[in-house]
Amino acid sequence: MHHPIFSYSKNLSIYIAVCLGIILIHVGVGHGFYNLPLKVAVADALVFDMLMAFIALSIWYPIYYTNANKSLINILFQHILAAAFLLAIWLMLALQIVKWVVSADMYAMVYQQSNIIQRIVVGSLFIATYFLVFLAMKYYGDVQEKAHQHEAMLRQLREAELKALKAQINPHFLFNGLNSISALTVTDAEAARDMIHKLSDFMRYALKKNEQTLLLFSDELDNMKRYLDIEKIRFGDRLQCEFTINDATTKMQIPVLLLQPLVENAIKHGVYESIETVTIAISSEVEDGKLHIVIQNNFDPDGTPQKGEGVGLRNISNRIRVLYGDEASFETHRTENTFRVSLVIPQHINKTL
């Protein structure tokens, strides 16, 4: 537990400046208004105000260690008791020290009963002010701590959700790849072996990069091309690919394994459902400092629809929401014979989520 005045040099500087200001005001009032000799006015101000500044620092501790589970009446009673104790200590010590500093005649003339009552009132106001200031500091510190804890919790939840989403994607593709290899072993053993090697390269990349949140768009493109090479072994000339990539986008960042499920979705609902050639067109641009990606494919409107619940698309939408909040976008658009996915990826993760 650290005292807020000593924990930050700025707070300590402000505290010292305020105390010096109070001392100067005290000297001016004593010498100018009450006509005290300057020496007595300075001694009076230094003793009473410096002692108050020192004793008031201890007010932080009863505030910090207050049991929040107690009733408001009990808390107020404890604070009033602590304030009364500090006020009594301050007044007795200050009067005793001043008595040693000034002459006996001056002491008897200045520190009369009415003067003592005024000092008790002023001292009470000072201590009440210190209590309010330290209560505000305690409240602000608690709010800041809860905000940090909330941010840390959200970050942990975000990381856990991202891991769960990526864990759902990898097995989904792996099962499809293994089924394809199983089919190829009967019709084309050489193609099956080639597919095994390419699938191994793809999964090695996926496992190696899986712990990363972001990577270069160029790396993700290379990985997607590995995936397309695997699928071309199955579909041959029925699957065509077109890339229109702006060079400026290759060094931008993108969530790892984001594109493969989108291409997989295009193949599933394009190539699977059509006996004609299906072209998957992938393009990228930079707009307003954000990465814009479009993946589009044609499909046969008369083909037999593939069963599926859109897990891949939901995963992508969820991952983008978790990472970027409202700063990113994920949109799909379907026409009579084309399906398009549009992504907008900011170049920073939303830390406030």
Side-chain angles (χ1 to χ4, degrees):
M1 188 275 302
H2 302 288
H3 199 291
I5 298 299
F6 299 110
S7 298
Y8 305 97
S9 58
K10 182 179 179 180
N11 288 354
L12 181 59
S13 299
I14 293 174
Y15 189 77
I16 292 174
V18 170
C19 291
L20 290 176
I22 292 173
I23 291 173
L24 291 175
I25 293 172
H26 194 156
V27 171
V29 171
H31 181 62
F33 186 77
Y34 288 101
N35 297 318
L36 295 178
L38 183 60
K39 178 180 178 180
V40 175
V42 171
D44 182 70
L46 287 175
V47 172
F48 276 88
D49 296 337
M50 290 183 65
L51 190 59
M52 171 61 75
F54 177 76
I55 290 178
L57 292 173
S58 63
I59 293 174
W60 167 255
Y61 298 102
I63 291 176
Y64 183 83
Y65 288 108
T66 296
N67 188 344
N69 295 324
K70 290 185 177 181
S71 66
L72 180 61
I73 295 177
N74 285 336
I75 293 175
L76 287 175
F77 177 75
Q78 289 179 356
H79 287 344
I80 291 173
L81 190 63
F85 175 76
L86 292 175
L87 181 65
I89 294 295
W90 166 73
L91 188 61
M92 289 188 295
L93 286 177
L95 289 173
Q96 187 61 44
I97 294 172
V98 170
K99 190 174 183 179
W100 295 337
V101 174
V102 302
S103 64
D105 293 339
M106 184 61 66
Y107 181 86
M109 180 183 71
V110 174
Y111 300 101
Q112 300 173 2
Q113 183 177 0
S114 60
N115 184 281
I116 299 300
I117 294 175
Q118 289 179 1
R119 292 174 187 271
I120 290 175
V121 172
V122 173
S124 300
L125 292 175
F126 271 114
I127 288 179
T129 301
Y130 280 111
F131 261 101
L132 291 175
V133 170
F134 284 134
L135 278 172
M137 287 184 171
K138 177 66 164 55
Y139 176 77
Y140 178 76
D142 290 344
V143 170
Q144 290 292 100
E145 183 178 357
K146 289 180 180 179
H148 290 317
Q149 292 175 350
H150 183 65
E151 182 180 347
M153 181 188 68
L154 288 179
R155 185 167 55 250
Q156 292 173 356
L157 289 174
R158 182 174 63 196
E159 291 172 356
E161 185 172 352
L162 287 172
K163 288 181 179 180
L165 291 172
K166 288 192 287 186
Q168 189 176 13
I169 290 172
N170 291 340
H172 186 241
F173 166 69
L174 180 60
F175 294 148
N176 286 346
L178 291 175
N179 287 334
S180 299
I181 292 172
S182 176
L184 283 173
T185 55
V186 177
T187 60
D188 191 341
E190 184 64 28
R193 284 193 293 271
D194 189 24
M195 190 170 180
I196 289 174
H197 290 306
K198 292 183 181 296
L199 180 61
S200 175
D201 291 339
F202 177 88
M203 294 307 299
R204 186 179 296 111
Y205 171 90
L207 292 172
K208 182 180 179 180
K209 301 293 185 180
N210 194 48
E211 293 303 317
Q212 296 179 227
T213 300
L214 301 173
L215 77 168
L216 293 178
F217 180 50
S218 58
D219 291 339
E220 184 70 359
L221 278 174
D222 291 340
N223 188 53
M224 186 174 60
K225 290 175 181 178
R226 293 188 187 98
Y227 170 75
L228 287 170
D229 287 341
I230 294 171
E231 297 293 32
K232 284 181 178 179
I233 295 174
R234 286 197 296 165
F235 299 111
D237 293 338
R238 288 175 54 204
L239 173 60
Q240 299 295 322
C241 300
E242 295 179 356
F243 292 90
T244 307
I245 305 299
N246 187 324
D247 290 340
T249 64
T250 59
K251 299 302 181 182
M252 302 184 81
Q253 291 188 318
I254 186 173
V256 64
L257 295 176
L258 189 75
L259 299 182
Q260 180 270 326
L262 298 177
V263 176
E264 181 181 356
N265 182 77
I267 292 174
K268 180 178 180 181
H269 297 285
V271 183
Y272 275 69
E273 300 175 4
S274 176
I275 60 175
E276 303 295 332
T277 299
V278 171
T279 300
I280 299 177
I282 302 165
S283 63
S284 66
E285 289 291 344
V286 180
E287 294 182 20
D288 299 326
K290 297 181 180 180
L291 174 60
H292 289 244
I293 303 171
V294 175
I295 299 177
Q296 180 173 298
N297 65 278
N298 60 298
F299 64 90
D300 184 358
D302 298 324
T304 303
Q306 293 291 310
K307 294 181 179 180
E309 299 178 355
V311 173
L313 296 181
R314 283 203 305 273
N315 268 327
I316 299 303
S317 179
N318 288 339
R319 289 182 66 192
I320 290 176
R321 172 185 55 78
V322 170
L323 283 171
Y324 302 105
D326 295 333
E327 295 188 61
S329 69
F330 175 83
E331 297 179 353
T332 61
H333 181 71
R334 184 187 184 100
T335 66
E336 183 179 351
N337 62 347
T338 62
F339 184 80
R340 183 174 69 250
V341 175
S342 300
L343 293 168
V344 178
I345 308 295
Q347 290 308 290
H348 65 277
I349 292 178
N350 191 344
K351 301 296 185 180
T352 63
L353 291 176

